[in-house]
């Protein structure tokens, strides 16, 4: 996000980040300010179009006078705040969070995380071979998308996207609690028995690949998913008059998935089942 | 909203349980049979959705009548309230007292927490389980602290039906617990609340002075013993006058955080946004704590009066009493007291003819320690999962239903009565300059007379333990409950004040004092604490959700090890504990490691 106000002028908040003066429009988060200042703060559960649940705690920073560390992604900047982003204390917590996550779920398809694990010298293996893991089989119960909760970090983004922040379908929610908490539809039923309308908006926001297109999942299983050779083309959906933007991901001359740009002021990345999944006719080559 | 309901239907019983709460459904939109009129317009919708906060009472209604919550029952409840079934399922599976799997109508909760463990809970469990095998119609569940620690070991039987029946067995033997489960109606009567107050009847008591003296069901008896003089004084002082008195009294919140009550009230009272709410936190779930239960069971009208005073001071017309689900007797007594007070004009539209309107609604928790965290409690009342919210914004600004809310626990509120009757200066003269007034302590474990004790702040740990009859071979004392810390037998001169315990590197917390002699195996106890936090973590944030699991694993590994063999795992515990304290969202994760750390550092638990 840009830290330059584009709408109605807002007051500027002055504070310091790592000793440097920072000025951001009122309402900006510490993370907005850090990014505007070119500081690198890792994030996992934060998303550009959703209210962060601040659940992963990998973005924590030190704020002078605060007893605990604070999540940069959701704490608003306040005048006079003294923020420190890279102290030993903040780094320690980030490292432990990365270790805890990597020891309990499969982060192999989570972008950036491998780099952070290296940067923070995280050693997920030190909890021993018996460390509890999710160890769940992927749920493949429909032809459109796969739920592989073994990769889920419980960021709540899919729940928010399916619920009141985007889709208003409320097909999924968090069930259980503690380490046993899982994303589930009611009674843990298959997706096909739920309220899901297959808009795929939850896949759009999932930061870990726990939710993925069946097409992507199948290719990964077959070993021929290769992002480096894919092209992305943004176009307009032809199904109805709304004019949603579609980004077609193409590999080997085949559409392998469809996303939508989040900075589109009309859709913010939302699509319906047709725009998201209805592309097969394009590649029916008879 | 795009609701989808499966085709599972409620049974007649399930439907009746829900309808008993909401009345019969008015249209097919909320679950009745389809009529011609239903095809022409939609009803339910917003109106029903605005009652989302009745989700938890609805789940209780089903669970109470049937013993568990089936798909059909959940769907029907969701229809009645326009709640998406996935969300309701998320709420139902959050609470330990609900089950979404079929189970027998009777559940026997057997406490395996600290005081009960020290009193032989594991043997008791084994005995009960061998007597009540499969097919007995009783499901035996190991439970965290039931708040009956002064009578450890304890068991609570809940038999679903209309009405639901409960029976407490404490101290429990195998026979007594089995009897309570198989025939709750004919189980022997529970000991009166005053039995938990060894000082009962002592005229110098301030907070406990009516416990065991008045008849807890009689409003007249309460008034004959000084009841409702504080409310009269409150009306004479006016809201700002009350807040001034409470501020001058120096009253600090008794729930563990020790925040100045007057400041909290002032901040809420001055919020321009309305309505304001009052919430009394009676979700006393800290292992080792039972004082709020004793107050509610022994002197229920005092809490009704205190809530009325607090509401008047902060400008609230509605108060919620959030009472933990494991306290059936306190629930009955409080419900009866609230109903009587309402019938006599002490709650309702025009209290004491002063033109002030206030009423209390009781909400029952369903087995989740985290719901004692103030913002988690709001979510729970509102019908959401009891997950803490991140702060800021603080409750005084945006609390229950997003409105300015003051939340105090039972003990804090009950202190307001003597402040008003004796006046702030006299109250502030009790205790020490920084910890004023009387304080309740829950003493349990290996002592002769476990129970709730009232002492002025400043008495020492040794004095308190002497009153309770400490036994020889004291090995350790846990202060402040599972979220608190251990001290050693040579720490007995620690003054029991907020500042004194802080200086001694420990905490007063909620007033738990649990003594353990050298027969209690320390590593097992620490493991139980870790297990408790792993079970009770809401699961929202990573440091706590995974950290509590990793800590429990490390403690398992070192249960039989000491010295150099344990060093690696202790280092791991420390590193994880530090991140949990620094990076968790709420107090549960932030304090989960305190007690174990103190046992390692102060008691040398693994040396
Ligand atoms: S596909 Fe759409 S409707 Fe289905 S769970 Fe995901 S966000 Fe909800
Ligand atoms: S499935 Fe993905 S979006 Fe949903 S909680 Fe898990 S990681 Fe987050
Ligand atoms: S610290 Fe634990 S209980 Fe608190 S929000 Fe995080 S996971 Fe939930
Ligand atoms: S990115 Fe801030 S808590 Fe997850
Ligand atoms: S009732 Fe068992 S420990 Fe409190």
């Amino acid at each position: 996000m840009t830290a330059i106000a584009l709408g109605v002028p807002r007051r500027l908040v002055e504070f310091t980040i790592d000793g440097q003066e920072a000025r951001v429009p009122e309402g900006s988060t510490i993370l907005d300010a850090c990014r505007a200042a070119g500081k690198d703060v890792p994030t996992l559960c934060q998303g550009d179009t959703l209210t962060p649940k601040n659940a992963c705690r990998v973005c924590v920073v030190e704020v002078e006078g605060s007893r605990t560390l604070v999540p940069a992604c959701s704490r608003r900047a306040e005048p006079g705040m003294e923020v420190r982003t890279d102290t030993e204390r903040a780094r320690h917590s980030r490292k432990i969070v990365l270790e805890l996550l990597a020891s309990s779920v499969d982060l192999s398809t989570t972008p950036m995380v491998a780099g952070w694990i290296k940067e923070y010298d995280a050693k997920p293996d030190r909890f021993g071979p018996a460390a509890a893991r999710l160890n769940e089989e992927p749920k493949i119960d429909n032809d459109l998308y796969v739920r592989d909760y073994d990769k889920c970090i419980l960021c709540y983004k899919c729940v928010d996207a399916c619920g009141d922040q985007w889709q208003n379908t409320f097909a999924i929610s968090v069930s259980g609690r503690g380490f046993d908490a899982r994303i589930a539809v009611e009674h843990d039923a298959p997706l096909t028995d739920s309220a899901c309308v297959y808009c795929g908006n939850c896949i759009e926001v999932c930061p870990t690949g726990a939710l993925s297109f069946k097409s992507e999942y199948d290719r990964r299983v077959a070993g021929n998913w290769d992002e480096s050779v894919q092209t992305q083309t943004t176009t307009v959906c032809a199904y109805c008059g709304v004019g949603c933007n579609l980004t077609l991901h193409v590999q080997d001359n085949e559409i392998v998935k469809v996303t939508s740009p989040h900075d589109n002021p009309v859709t913010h990345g939302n699509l319906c089942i047709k725009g998201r999944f209805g592309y097969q006719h394009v590649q029916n080559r008879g | 909203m795009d609701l989808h309901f499966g085709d599972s239907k409620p049974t007649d019983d399930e439907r009746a349980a829900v309808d008993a709460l909401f009345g019969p459904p008015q249209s097919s939109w909320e679950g009745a049979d389809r009529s011609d009129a239903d095809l022409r317009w939609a009803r339910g919708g917003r109106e029903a959705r605005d009652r989302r906060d009745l989700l938890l009472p609805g789940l209780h209604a089903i669970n109470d009548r049937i013993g568990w919550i089936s798909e059909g029952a959940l769907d029907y409840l969701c229809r009645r309230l326009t709640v998406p079934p996935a969300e309701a399922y998320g709420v139902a599976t959050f609470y330990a007292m609900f089950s979404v799997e079929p189970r027998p109508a009777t559940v026997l909760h057997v406490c395996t927490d600290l005081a009960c463990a020290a009193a032989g809970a594991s043997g008791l469990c084994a005995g009960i389980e061998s007597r009540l095998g499969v097919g007995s119609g009783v499901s035996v569940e190991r439970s965290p602290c039931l708040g009956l620690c002064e009578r450890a070991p304890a068991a609570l039987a809940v038999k679903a039906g209309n009405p639901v029946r409960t029976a407490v067995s404490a101290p429990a033997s195998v026979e007594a617990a089995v009897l309570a489960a198989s025939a709750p109606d004919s189980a022997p009567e529970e000991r009166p609340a005053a039995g938990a107050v060894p000082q009962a009847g002592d005229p110098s008591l301030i907070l406990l002075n009516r416990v065991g003296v008045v008849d807890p069901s009689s409003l007249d008896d309460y008034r004959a013993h000084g009841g409702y003089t504080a409310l009269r004084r409150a009306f004479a002082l006016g809201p700002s006058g009350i807040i001034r008195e409470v501020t001058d009294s120096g009253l600090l919140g008794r729930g563990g955080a020790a925040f100045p009550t007057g400041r909290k009230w002032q901040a809420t009272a001055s919020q321009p946004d309305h309505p304001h709410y009052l919430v009394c936190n009676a979700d006393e779930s800290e292992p080792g704590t039972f004082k709020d239960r004793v107050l509610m069971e022994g002197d229920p009208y005092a809490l009704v009066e205190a809530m009325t005073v607090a509401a008047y001071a902060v400008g609230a017309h509605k108060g919620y009493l959030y009472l933990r689900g494991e306290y059936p007797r306190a629930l009955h007594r409080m419900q009866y007291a609230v109903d009587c007070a309402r019938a006599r004009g002490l709650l309702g539209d025009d209290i004491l003819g002063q033109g002030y309107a206030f009423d209390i609604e009781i909400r029952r928790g369903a087995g989740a320690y985290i719901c004692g965290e103030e913002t988690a409690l709001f979510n729970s009342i509102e019908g959401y999962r009891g997950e803490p919210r991140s702060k800021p914004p603080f409750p005084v600004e945006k609390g229950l239903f997003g409105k300015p809310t003051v939340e105090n626990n039972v003990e804090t509120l009950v202190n307001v009565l003597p402040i008003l009757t004796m006046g702030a200066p006299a109250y502030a003269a009790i205790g020490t300059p920084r910890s004023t007034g009387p304080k309740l302590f829950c003493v349990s474990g290996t002592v002769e007379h476990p129970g709730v004790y009232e002492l002025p702040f400043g008495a020492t740990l040794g004095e308190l333990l002497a009153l309770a009859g400490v036994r020889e071979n004291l090995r350790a004392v846990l202060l402040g409950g599972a979220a608190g810390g251990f001290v050693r037998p040579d720490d007995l001169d620690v003054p029991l004040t907020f500042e004194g315990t802080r200086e001694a590197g420990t905490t007063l917390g909620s007033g738990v004092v649990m003594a353990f002699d050298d027969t209690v195996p320390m590593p097992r106890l620490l493991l139980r604490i870790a297990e408790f936090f792993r079970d009770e973590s809401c699961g929202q944030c990573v440091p706590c959700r995974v950290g509590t699991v990793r800590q429990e694993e490390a403690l398992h590994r070192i249960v039989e090890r000491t010295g150099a063999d344990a060093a690696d795992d202790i280092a791991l515990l420390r590193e994880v504990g530090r991140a949990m304290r620094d990076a968790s969202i709420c107090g549960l994760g932030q304090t989960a490691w305190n007690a174990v750390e103190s046992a390692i550092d102060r008691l040398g638990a693994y040396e």
Side-chain angles (χ1 to χ4, degrees):
Chain A
M1 187 198 130
T2 166
I4 311 291
L6 298 175
V8 187
R10 285 183 288 169
R11 256 184 300 172
L12 290 181
V13 177
E14 297 186 18
F15 66 109
T16 65
I17 305 178
D18 297 332
Q20 297 164 9
E21 301 278 315
R23 303 173 79 204
V24 290
E26 204 171 26
S28 308
T29 63
I30 295 175
L31 182 68
D32 296 333
C34 288
R35 293 200 167 151
K39 302 236 172 243
D40 178 35
V41 176
T43 58
L44 280 169
C45 70
Q46 186 263 351
D48 50 1
T49 59
L50 299 168
T51 307
K53 189 78 178 171
N54 61 60
C56 78
R57 317 304 278 186
V58 77
C59 69
V60 286
V61 295
E62 253 185 85
V63 170
E64 183 70 37
S66 168
R67 186 173 46 86
T68 55
L69 299 173
V70 311
C73 64
S74 60
R75 179 65 60 85
R76 313 250 164 232
E78 288 163 31
M81 243 183 193
E82 288 175 38
V83 177
R84 276 183 294 276
T85 63
D86 207 33
T87 59
E88 190 274 331
R89 199 173 154 206
R91 291 184 69 91
H92 174 81
S93 280
R94 288 182 204 154
K95 167 184 144 148
I96 296 289
V97 162
L98 290 166
E99 285 180 345
L100 293 173
L101 271 181
S103 69
S104 54
V105 299
D106 168 9
L107 296 177
S108 63
T109 50
T110 306
M112 318 276 286
V113 87
W116 294 327
I117 286 184
K118 211 176 258 150
E119 180 190 340
Y120 290 94
D121 196 24
K123 299 197 177 61
D125 293 343
R126 66 192 180 119
F127 299 115
R133 297 188 59 91
L134 250 47
N135 281 334
E136 284 186 11
E137 288 302 309
K139 295 187 195 300
I140 311 173
D141 52 17
N142 66 85
D143 288 335
L144 301 182
Y145 78 94
V146 176
R147 300 177 290 159
D148 185 359
Y149 291 130
D150 207 22
K151 294 179 171 172
C152 173
I153 60 167
L154 271 186
C155 70
Y156 289 64
K157 281 165 84 175
C158 55
V159 176
D160 289 344
C162 187
D164 58 357
Q165 294 194 30
W166 273 12
Q167 178 62 21
N168 272 291
T169 292
F170 301 93
I172 48 176
S173 124
V174 180
S175 71
R177 78 175 181 217
F179 197 72
D180 297 328
R182 295 286 186 280
I183 305 292
V185 310
E186 65 270 27
H187 310 294
D188 245 339
L191 204 60
T192 44
D193 288 352
S194 78
C196 177
V197 298
Y198 303 95
C199 61
N201 291 330
C202 53
I203 315 175
E204 180 77 45
V205 296
C206 181
T208 62
L211 306 177
S212 70
F213 285 76
K214 180 83 168 23
S215 50
E216 172 173 346
Y217 180 83
D218 288 344
R219 276 178 173 266
R220 281 190 190 276
V221 169
N224 63 356
W225 175 261
D226 184 358
E227 269 168 32
S228 67
V229 303
Q230 290 173 8
T231 58
Q232 296 185 14
T233 310
T234 298
T235 177
V236 176
C237 179
Y239 276 109
C240 77
V242 171
C244 303
N245 285 8
L246 307 179
T247 301
L248 309 177
H249 298 242
V250 176
Q251 180 182 335
D252 310 331
N253 206 24
E254 211 176 90
I255 300 172
V256 291
K257 70 173 179 183
V258 177
T259 59
S260 180
H262 289 196
D263 57 2
N264 182 303
V266 181
T267 58
H268 300 288
N270 282 249
L271 293 173
C272 75
I273 181 173
K274 292 186 286 185
R276 181 87 62 192
F277 295 106
Y279 52 78
Q280 205 49 45
H281 66 286
V282 177
Q283 43 208 30
N284 277 348
R285 300 186 182 88
Chain B
M1 206 183 311
D2 196 2
L3 295 189
H4 168 277
F5 300 101
D7 21 326
S8 38
K9 295 269 171 291
T11 64
D12 290 345
D13 244 10
E14 290 166 343
R15 187 187 291 270
V18 175
D19 289 351
L21 194 62
F22 306 133
Q26 298 301 315
S27 71
S28 73
W29 297 99
E30 49 164 351
D33 289 336
R34 191 176 293 283
S35 72
D36 282 351
D38 290 332
L39 298 173
R40 285 172 223 286
W41 61 71
R43 282 214 214 104
R46 170 172 295 281
E47 206 177 302
R49 195 141 72 234
D50 287 346
R51 297 184 301 175
R52 165 82 186 235
D53 68 296
L54 294 177
L55 182 59
L56 186 55
L59 292 170
H60 267 303
I62 300 167
N63 198 69
D64 274 355
R65 176 112 38 141
I66 315 295
W68 69 286
I69 299 162
S70 73
E71 288 192 34
L74 189 76
D75 273 3
Y76 182 64
L77 178 61
C78 288
R79 255 181 223 274
R80 296 300 314 268
L81 296 174
T82 319
V83 172
E87 285 198 357
Y89 181 74
V91 173
T93 52
F94 188 83
Y95 295 99
M97 295 182 90
F98 297 148
S99 170
V100 294
E101 305 290 334
R103 66 174 173 189
T106 305
V107 177
L108 182 66
H109 303 270
V110 186
C111 179
T112 52
D113 222 319
L114 304 173
C116 293
S122 58
L124 178 67
C125 271
I128 292 174
E129 268 160 358
S130 73
R131 284 277 295 276
L132 291 171
V134 192
S136 66
V138 177
S139 151
V140 180
E141 291 182 9
R142 283 152 203 261
S143 161
C145 178
L146 291 168
L148 300 162
C149 327
E150 87 280 6
R151 283 174 276 163
L156 165 69
V158 181
K159 182 174 185 189
N162 184 22
V164 60
R165 251 72 52 95
T166 58
V168 157
S169 172
S173 60
V174 173
E175 288 67 38
V178 167
L179 176 66
S182 46
D185 288 337
S186 46
E189 174 94 42
E190 235 190 291
R191 179 173 90 167
V197 182
Q199 298 159 302
D202 178 342
S204 69
L205 293 176
I206 296 173
L207 302 174
L208 296 173
N209 72 337
R210 275 182 295 257
V211 177
V213 174
V214 295
D215 169 0
S217 65
S218 166
L219 179 52
D220 290 319
D221 207 18
Y222 176 67
R223 298 183 82 147
H225 286 86
Y228 281 102
T229 47
L231 183 62
R232 281 177 203 286
R233 174 103 204 287
F235 280 129
L237 286 167
S240 53
I242 305 171
I243 294 179
R244 190 177 350 99
E245 286 289 296
V246 172
T247 308
D248 291 351
S249 76
L251 175 64
L252 300 178
R254 303 292 199 240
F259 192 82
T261 306
R263 258 187 35 218
K264 200 191 236 184
W265 288 17
Q266 177 61 46
T268 309
S270 60
Q271 291 292 324
D273 194 11
H274 279 276
H276 294 181
Y277 288 107
L278 169 76
V279 172
C280 174
N281 184 345
D283 189 61
E284 173 178 67
S285 310
E286 182 65 46
T289 321
F290 44 92
K291 61 197 165 77
D292 292 350
R293 174 180 58 78
V294 170
L295 282 172
M296 290 188 289
E297 289 180 349
D299 196 10
Y301 292 99
L303 181 56
V304 176
E305 183 183 0
M307 283 181 72
T308 312
V309 172
Y312 176 61
V314 302
H317 298 289
K318 174 94 198 240
Y320 287 89
L321 174 62
Y322 189 90
L323 217 159
R324 80 178 290 213
E326 292 88 340
Y327 281 178
R329 185 161 73 174
L331 175 73
H332 287 137
R333 298 232 166 124
M334 286 311 305
Q335 190 65 60
Y336 186 73
V338 165
D339 292 344
C340 288
R342 192 181 300 123
R344 300 271 290 271
L346 292 161
L347 285 175
D349 292 337
D350 182 18
I351 295 171
L352 285 177
Q354 297 283 324
Y356 188 74
F358 174 66
D359 214 331
I360 297 174
E361 189 173 331
I362 301 182
R363 285 302 175 87
R364 184 157 45 122
Y369 169 73
I370 190 57
C371 289
E373 198 277 344
E374 55 180 351
T375 58
L377 193 159
F378 300 151
N379 277 334
S380 179
I381 292 182
E382 290 178 25
Y384 294 90
R385 292 166 54 79
E387 292 170 350
R389 303 174 183 170
S390 48
K391 296 186 272 188
F394 290 93
V396 294
E397 215 184 299
K398 283 194 191 320
L400 185 63
F401 301 112
K403 297 294 177 185
T405 303
V406 72
E407 181 176 323
N408 290 122
N409 80 343
V410 176
E411 186 189 348
T412 311
L413 285 170
V414 167
N415 267 280
V416 171
L417 304 177
I419 290 173
L420 291 186
T421 48
M422 67 170 69
Y427 179 92
I430 305 168
T432 66
R434 281 195 290 158
S435 297
T436 58
K439 174 77 190 108
L440 300 182
F441 296 96
C442 306
V443 186
S444 62
T446 43
V447 291
E448 295 302 330
H449 314 289
V452 186
Y453 288 83
E454 177 182 322
L455 289 175
F457 270 114
T460 65
L461 178 57
E463 285 163 8
L464 175 62
L465 283 176
L467 269 182
V470 66
R471 299 195 194 143
E472 289 196 355
N473 307 327
L474 182 69
R475 164 90 210 272
V477 180
L478 180 61
L479 284 185
F486 284 96
V487 297
R488 288 200 307 237
D490 55 9
D491 287 320
L492 292 187
D493 52 356
V494 172
L496 296 171
T497 57
F498 292 116
E499 65 279 10
T501 44
R502 202 178 312 126
E503 272 158 34
T506 178
T507 173
L508 205 54
S510 54
V512 172
V513 175
M514 236 184 225
F516 299 102
D517 63 19
D518 56 10
T519 62
V520 181
M522 240 337 121
R524 293 259 150 230
L525 208 61
L526 301 183
L527 201 50
R528 169 64 218 173
I529 293 175
E531 192 183 288
F532 174 81
F533 285 108
R534 185 257 290 143
D535 270 349
E536 298 295 340
S537 164
C538 84
Q540 223 186 166
C541 63
V542 176
C544 172
R545 178 177 78 234
V546 190
T548 51
V549 173
R550 296 290 174 257
Q551 286 207 320
E552 193 197 340
E553 289 165 354
L555 286 168
H556 264 292
R557 287 196 291 268
I558 58 177
V559 130
E560 307 295 347
R561 282 191 273 146
T562 51
D565 290 345
D568 272 8
D569 277 318
I570 287 177
L572 199 67
L573 281 164
R574 285 191 200 280
E575 283 197 41
V576 173
R578 182 174 169 218
M580 286 166 62
R581 184 173 291 153
D582 263 354
S584 295
I585 293 180
C586 83
L588 186 148
Q590 290 160 11
T591 60
W593 149 248
N594 285 1
V596 177
E597 182 185 42
S598 70
I600 293 172
D601 290 345
R602 287 180 95 112
L603 305 180
Y606 297 100
E607 277 163 17

